[in-house]
Amino acid sequence: MATVAAKMRRALLLLKPLDVYPPRTATSSKVLRYLDDRCRVHKETINHCTSIIEKRFPQWQLVMRNDLSQSIRHFDLVITVGGDGTLLKASHFIDDSVPVLGVNSDPTNSLEVEELSQEFDATRSTGYLCAATRANFEQVLDEVLAGKKTPTELSRVSLKINGAKVPTFALNDILMAHPCPASVSRFSFRIKKECGETSHLINCRSSGLRVSTATGSTAAMQSAGGIPMHISMPDLQYMVREPIMPRELDIPLMHGFIKPEDRMVISWYSQEGMVYIDGSHVYYKIKHGDEAEVASDAPVLKVFLPSSLLA
């Protein structure tokens, strides 16, 4: 156990900034107090985690997630404090060599949500991928350092556009769509198998195409009617969003799975297009005639997960 702790000497503490909270323009004093309380709790969690990290790591560095712009290297552990958004941001700068431990700085209180549901949305951070909170951070970190916790390897989506690799890997999903959500997207795709076989070409007019990992299958994919997958599954799941009058032959392939050894090839036929990675902040422009290739051959992300996700 001492050997594991000795190997983890350098930690990066990545924080959700405080300015992500809404500006103080609400007219309700209860809403204002609620927003102030969210900032206070987040600050207290940061201070608590920092005081523990100072004692456990000879070398550590604090970075706000908005300031992250280069690959994360020369660290033995990344600790994110915020929610899933902060962990997702970290994942875009990490390969498969550095594990991540997420701390949910302000977990949702279900009783509070119910009590305030008729006044405003009191939902806090989801923290689906976060193994720790302020309450148990010290215990969880010590278990990591003692080798009692093992990170789970999560599949990610790799993307090529016109044969060029996109440097960002998606932990949750990618969405290919027109930049205007009211516009129709026109594209075609087929699944190419490792053995050389391919599905027939599916031509689509729809609001876009989403491809998710198992991690992302319980997010937007599930909301759209997709199938939740166990987080350890290496397959990708895809869904054509709101297809317009698909051929009867194509209907079974509007939603399906991409095996780890296979890939999806998409041809884009709208004048404009975007490929969004894990939400709206990371995106790549595409245009008529461009070809994209999606697969699950990206480096895995090593994450210390909550035990509830491993059952």
Side-chain angles (χ1 to χ4, degrees):
M1 293 192 298
T3 303
V4 176
K7 288 181 178 179
M8 287 194 173
R9 299 179 57 82
R10 300 161 299 177
L12 175 66
L13 180 60
L14 188 69
L15 307 179
K16 177 177 75 173
L18 293 169
D19 60 8
V20 299
Y21 294 95
R24 304 300 192 262
T25 56
T27 56
S28 167
S29 59
K30 183 178 285 190
V31 173
L32 291 176
R33 287 196 301 271
Y34 177 81
L35 294 175
D36 287 338
D37 193 51
R38 303 284 59 75
C39 288
R40 178 186 60 79
V41 171
H42 183 51
K43 284 181 181 178
E44 290 176 351
T45 303
I46 291 172
N47 292 338
H48 178 71
C49 293
T50 300
S51 66
I52 293 170
I53 290 169
E54 287 177 330
K55 299 173 185 176
R56 301 299 193 276
F57 292 91
Q59 302 173 44
W60 66 281
Q61 182 178 345
L62 185 152
V63 176
M64 305 303 291
R65 77 180 186 198
N66 291 351
D67 296 330
L68 194 59
S69 59
Q70 296 182 343
S71 298
I72 297 174
R73 303 186 187 280
H74 312 303
F75 289 98
D76 304 309
L77 179 66
V78 173
I79 300 170
T80 63
V81 180
D84 288 337
T86 306
L87 197 152
L88 279 171
K89 180 64 178 284
S91 75
H92 296 161
F93 295 87
I94 304 177
D95 58 17
D96 55 0
S97 64
V98 185
V100 184
L101 171 62
V103 182
N104 187 349
S105 63
D106 192 16
T108 292
N109 183 320
S110 57
L111 294 178
E112 179 185 54
V113 172
E114 181 64 27
E115 177 186 345
L116 299 173
S117 62
Q118 297 304 311
E119 300 180 59
F120 59 89
D121 182 7
T123 303
R124 305 182 191 178
S125 177
T126 303
Y128 175 73
L129 299 174
C130 296
T133 63
R134 177 186 173 186
N136 68 353
F137 172 67
E138 185 169 17
Q139 175 189 343
V140 172
L141 179 60
D142 285 345
E143 289 175 353
V144 168
L145 295 177
K148 295 180 180 179
K149 282 188 175 294
T150 303
T152 300
E153 296 185 347
L154 301 181
S155 294
R156 291 191 280 185
V157 183
S158 69
L159 172 68
K160 292 181 181 178
I161 298 177
N162 297 327
K165 290 184 178 180
V166 169
T168 308
F169 305 121
L171 179 59
N172 266 355
D173 55 34
I174 67 166
L175 171 64
M176 184 175 292
H178 194 281
C180 173
S183 295
V184 174
S185 298
R186 291 174 170 82
F187 58 93
S188 64
F189 71 89
R190 68 171 82 232
I191 307 296
K192 291 191 174 182
K193 298 184 178 296
E194 186 180 37
C195 63
E197 296 179 0
T198 65
S199 67
H200 71 266
L201 186 67
I202 299 96
N203 298 305
C204 300
R205 291 184 301 148
S206 77
S207 61
L209 173 71
R210 187 182 302 277
V211 182
S212 83
T213 62
T215 303
S217 68
T218 56
M221 181 63 75
Q222 184 178 6
S223 296
I227 299 171
M229 304 159 64
H230 191 277
I231 200 163
S232 64
M233 288 185 65
D235 302 35
L236 302 180
Q237 182 174 178
Y238 72 87
M239 179 178 288
V240 177
R241 302 197 314 166
E242 303 169 323
I244 300 172
M245 299 178 64
R247 296 186 305 168
E248 186 174 349
L249 176 66
D250 294 340
I251 290 176
L253 290 175
M254 292 291 108
H255 173 220
F257 295 86
I258 307 169
K259 294 295 182 182
E261 63 273 14
D262 301 339
R263 64 191 190 278
M264 172 184 277
V265 179
I266 307 121
S267 297
W268 188 254
Y269 295 121
S270 290
Q271 185 173 355
E272 299 176 79
M274 303 285 269
V275 183
Y276 298 95
I277 296 180
D278 288 336
S280 61
H281 297 294
V282 181
Y283 56 84
Y284 295 87
K285 294 182 179 181
I286 52 176
K287 62 184 185 302
H288 186 279
D290 282 350
E291 183 177 275
E293 182 177 300
V294 175
S296 61
D297 58 357
V300 298
L301 183 72
K302 296 179 179 178
V303 183
F304 293 98
L305 293 174
S307 56
S308 58
L309 293 183
L310 303 176

